[in-house]
Amino acid sequence: MTRPIIGRVVPERWRTTGATAPGQRTVGEPGTARIAVDLLGGDQAPAVVVDGALRACRADPSLHLTLVGPADAADAVLAALKPGDRRRITTAITPTDTISGAVAAVAQGRADALVSAGDTRATVLAAARELGRWPGIRRPALTAVLPTVAGRVVLLDVGSSVDPDEETLAWHARLGAAYAAVVYQVPAPRVGLLTIGTEPGKGDRLRRALPNLLVDLPLPGGARYAGLVEGGDIVLGRAADVVVTDGFTGNVLLKGLETAYALTRPPSPDKTPPPRAALLLGVSGTVVVCHGAAAGPDLAAGIALAADLHRRASVAAIADLLRYSEVSHD
Amino acid sequence: MTRPIIGRVVPERWRTTGATAPGQRTVGEPGTARIAVDLLGGDQAPAVVVDGALRACRADPSLHLTLVGPADAADAVLAALKPGDRRRITTAITPTDTISGAVAAVAQGRADALVSAGDTRATVLAAARELGRWPGIRRPALTAVLPTVAGRVVLLDVGSSVDPDEETLAWHARLGAAYAAVVYQVPAPRVGLLTIGTEPGKGDRLRRALPNLLVDLPLPGGARYAGLVEGGDIVLGRAADVVVTDGFTGNVLLKGLETAYALTRPPSPDKTPPPRAALLLGVSGTVVVCHGAAAGPDLAAGIALAADLHRRASVAAIADLLRYSEVSHD
């Protein structure tokens, strides 16, 4: 049976099935998620990735992993698993460029999603090249979720687009709105623009120009532009469900708040904080990025996020909401 | 007796006296600090400023305030003080442009320092125009101090220079180093550059260009460039004593962390957290800026900071460390 190349599948076809596209060979039972894991991604790789893979496997009996990296790291995972669980592991032995290897596994249909804590720029470029970007997307958006007093806030971009233009941030507003509507079922997401004061005219050149563009921008999922928000609103969560910013500011704020919450406590009423991992939105596939400084539990949370997004066919549903029906390739 | 115009006094002369320049008329006893307060600065002005002024007066018997704003707000302060304390209040009744009024009080020697929670841009421009910028300073730096696990970190800029060039950030590195050396007596301050990954080549255009400039930059106070730092380092405080960034990113991060710390707790071992107020470095005078959303205690802390910096002649000492001997005016 011929497998569709996931990057070229039209989003509507993805959405119809949930876990698999029509005609796709299933590897295990329904609900199986096959995640490609970059064993060499992250400052403490491969040790933390081995740890994260093991934690993820033990927590989710329907998880299958494709381990992309050197043989000794893959062997460390296999050796630590019970014999019965080893069949859930596939190895893709490659000593270098494990990011491209993990992306290729998804592009060739051998995995449903990938997780890497490696270089963000390399991951974004490989994903855009091999999986294809959605039409109109110049730069995909790394999309994080943070706990707030009022619940959760979607923050994008957190590291992909560090010198964006206005059009890129307008696209990210659309992507973030669709993410909140699909993944968190927010009825009519409020999309805020992160800046340094809520009076008109505050902010840098980019932020002074954007409100005029955002106020008339059609947004998916019944979303609306909710105006300017400040750094504190990412903690309080009252002003917006989705906050748009450049990847430089978003990354700095995300790492600052995550570090603060790890030391004190998150402000959220949720018992389970959102994973410290981000979804790359705007490419035709499920690509999850963890911090370079990620620990084993963060990698496990990233793998669980990827599996959950795949099982819910979230990326296809987001694409569907944005009414894409084709995929562009570089 | 002719009073020197403070903005034109060479810094060395400031430093010789502490509270007052040579030949300057003293208003009260030694140790007196005369602070001009912008009654209309801040989202909740004048109520929060009245509250802050009263708190500051009650906490510091040697504090004199020049209240710049409408008569009813000034009267509210006077009415709430004991009769014996009212002599410590001077009023400068002006219905509008209270920022310029407060700056003028300092420029004309009627006050030793000023505090405003009003529009940051307006304060920076008025201070640069009326007090004069130090030589080489294109844009003064709003300099905040944050609690960290390891103590305190100086963060600049937090809102003055939102579209800086490389040269401006290099100047801010010098200013921040001098601030840490003078105000906190840090022996050899480590100056870090805020970015989104510690490997070379990370960050946006500005941040990719800067390390080459910073690595060879002469810094005051025995300071040295300590390399790239990330958002989490502003919480941990281990990598640098001073962190340099653009005013947009700095403001977003500052407001995010301050809001998080207000809800949970600061990560600092200090019992007294640093004030939520910033010093404008690079102008010839002591100018303290509070957030637009500042509450009464924040205004009081800002006034106390201004008084403390004045009494220690900190701004003059910073200028001295930077070996300035003249002042440029637009």
Side-chain angles (χ1 to χ4, degrees):
Chain A
M1 192 183 293
T2 306
R3 304 197 55 185
I5 297 173
I6 300 255
R8 295 179 187 276
V9 170
V10 296
E12 283 71 12
R13 291 186 62 199
W14 292 20
R15 199 185 190 183
T16 51
T17 60
T20 53
Q24 191 170 336
R25 183 174 58 96
T26 51
V27 172
E29 62 276 28
T32 294
R34 301 167 308 152
I35 311 299
V37 177
D38 168 11
L39 286 173
L40 291 185
D43 305 340
Q44 305 299 319
V48 291
V49 191
V50 168
D51 179 36
L54 288 169
R55 289 170 184 265
C57 268
R58 287 167 182 152
D60 180 353
S62 298
L63 187 69
H64 288 238
L65 297 183
T66 295
L67 303 176
V68 185
D72 52 351
D75 288 346
V77 176
L78 287 166
L81 286 173
K82 291 178 195 162
D85 284 332
R86 289 178 195 153
R87 65 176 180 79
R88 296 199 276 133
I89 303 294
T90 304
T91 55
I93 303 306
T94 171
T96 58
D97 200 4
T98 45
I99 289 173
S100 289
V103 172
V106 175
Q108 295 161 11
R110 290 180 283 117
D112 301 311
L114 74 95
V115 175
S116 178
D119 183 73
T120 298
R121 187 164 175 271
T123 306
V124 172
L125 292 177
R129 188 177 62 239
E130 300 299 323
L131 304 176
R133 291 173 299 168
W134 292 343
I137 302 292
R138 296 183 197 182
R139 188 85 178 178
L142 211 49
T143 307
V145 180
L146 274 161
T148 77
V149 174
R152 294 181 172 194
V153 67
V154 174
L155 178 66
L156 75 171
D157 173 37
V158 297
S160 164
S161 187
V162 292
D163 285 306
D165 58 10
E166 298 163 33
E167 188 59 33
T168 295
L169 261 67
W171 266 108
H172 290 184
R174 295 184 185 99
L175 293 172
Y179 183 95
V182 166
V183 175
Y184 290 109
Q185 289 88 45
V186 179
R190 297 161 302 161
V191 178
L193 176 66
L194 188 61
T195 187
I196 62 173
T198 50
E199 308 86 8
K202 289 274 189 175
D204 58 0
R205 276 190 293 270
L206 181 64
R207 259 52 68 143
R208 291 196 300 274
L210 264 168
N212 287 336
L213 187 60
L214 293 178
V215 77
D216 294 324
L217 189 74
L219 291 169
R224 64 179 176 83
Y225 174 57
L228 304 171
V229 303
E230 297 188 77
D233 293 312
I234 309 290
V235 177
L236 302 175
R238 286 193 288 246
D241 306 297
V242 177
V243 174
V244 175
T245 190
D246 65 282
F248 186 88
T249 307
N251 185 285
V252 165
L253 180 63
L254 177 74
K255 287 178 178 164
L257 289 178
E258 284 188 346
T259 306
Y261 296 157
L263 287 170
T264 57
R265 58 181 169 80
S268 172
D270 292 2
K271 287 212 173 111
T272 310
R276 287 154 48 113
L279 174 66
L280 186 67
L281 268 180
V283 295
S284 291
T286 302
V287 178
V288 168
V289 171
C290 294
H291 295 307
D298 297 322
L299 263 301
I303 294 168
L305 172 65
D308 182 54
L309 291 169
H310 165 68
R311 286 174 175 135
R312 296 163 62 191
S314 297
V315 172
I318 291 167
D320 191 36
L321 191 60
L322 289 162
R323 296 186 186 171
Y324 290 142
S325 59
E326 55 185 74
V327 172
S328 71
H329 285 264
D330 286 312
Chain B
M1 188 183 297
T2 307
R3 305 197 54 186
I5 297 171
I6 301 257
R8 296 180 186 275
V9 171
V10 296
E12 283 73 13
R13 292 185 63 198
W14 291 21
R15 199 185 190 182
T16 53
T17 59
T20 54
Q24 190 170 337
R25 182 174 58 94
T26 53
V27 173
E29 63 278 25
T32 294
R34 303 167 307 153
I35 312 299
V37 177
D38 168 11
L39 286 174
L40 291 186
D43 305 339
Q44 305 297 319
V48 291
V49 191
V50 168
D51 180 36
L54 288 169
R55 288 170 183 265
C57 268
R58 287 165 183 155
D60 180 352
S62 298
L63 187 70
H64 289 238
L65 297 182
T66 295
L67 303 176
V68 184
D72 53 351
D75 287 347
V77 175
L78 286 166
L81 285 174
K82 291 178 197 161
D85 283 332
R86 288 178 195 155
R87 64 174 181 83
R88 298 199 276 132
I89 304 293
T90 303
T91 54
I93 303 306
T94 171
T96 58
D97 200 4
T98 46
I99 290 173
S100 289
V103 171
V106 175
Q108 295 160 13
R110 290 181 283 115
D112 302 311
L114 75 95
V115 175
S116 178
D119 183 71
T120 298
R121 187 165 175 271
T123 305
V124 172
L125 292 177
R129 189 177 60 239
E130 300 299 324
L131 304 176
R133 291 172 299 168
W134 292 343
I137 302 293
R138 295 182 197 184
R139 188 85 178 180
L142 211 49
T143 307
V145 180
L146 274 162
T148 77
V149 174
R152 292 180 173 194
V153 68
V154 175
L155 178 67
L156 75 171
D157 175 39
V158 298
S160 165
S161 187
V162 293
D163 285 306
D165 57 11
E166 298 163 32
E167 188 59 32
T168 295
L169 261 68
W171 266 108
H172 290 185
R174 295 184 185 98
L175 294 171
Y179 183 94
V182 166
V183 176
Y184 290 109
Q185 289 88 46
V186 179
R190 298 162 300 162
V191 179
L193 175 66
L194 187 61
T195 186
I196 63 172
T198 51
E199 308 87 7
K202 288 275 189 174
D204 59 0
R205 276 189 294 268
L206 181 65
R207 258 51 69 141
R208 291 196 300 274
L210 263 168
N212 288 336
L213 187 62
L214 294 177
V215 78
D216 294 323
L217 189 74
L219 291 169
R224 63 179 175 82
Y225 174 57
L228 304 171
V229 303
E230 297 187 77
D233 293 312
I234 308 290
V235 178
L236 301 174
R238 287 193 288 247
D241 306 297
V242 177
V243 174
V244 175
T245 191
D246 65 283
F248 186 87
T249 307
N251 185 286
V252 166
L253 181 62
L254 177 74
K255 287 178 179 164
L257 289 179
E258 283 187 347
T259 305
Y261 296 158
L263 287 171
T264 58
R265 58 181 170 79
S268 173
D270 293 1
K271 289 215 172 104
T272 311
R276 286 155 45 115
L279 174 64
L280 187 67
L281 268 180
V283 296
S284 292
T286 302
V287 178
V288 169
V289 171
C290 294
H291 294 308
D298 297 323
L299 264 301
I303 293 169
L305 172 65
D308 182 55
L309 291 169
H310 165 68
R311 286 174 176 136
R312 297 163 62 191
S314 298
V315 172
I318 291 166
D320 190 35
L321 191 61
L322 290 163
R323 298 185 184 173
Y324 289 142
S325 59
E326 55 185 74
V327 171
S328 72
H329 284 265
D330 284 313

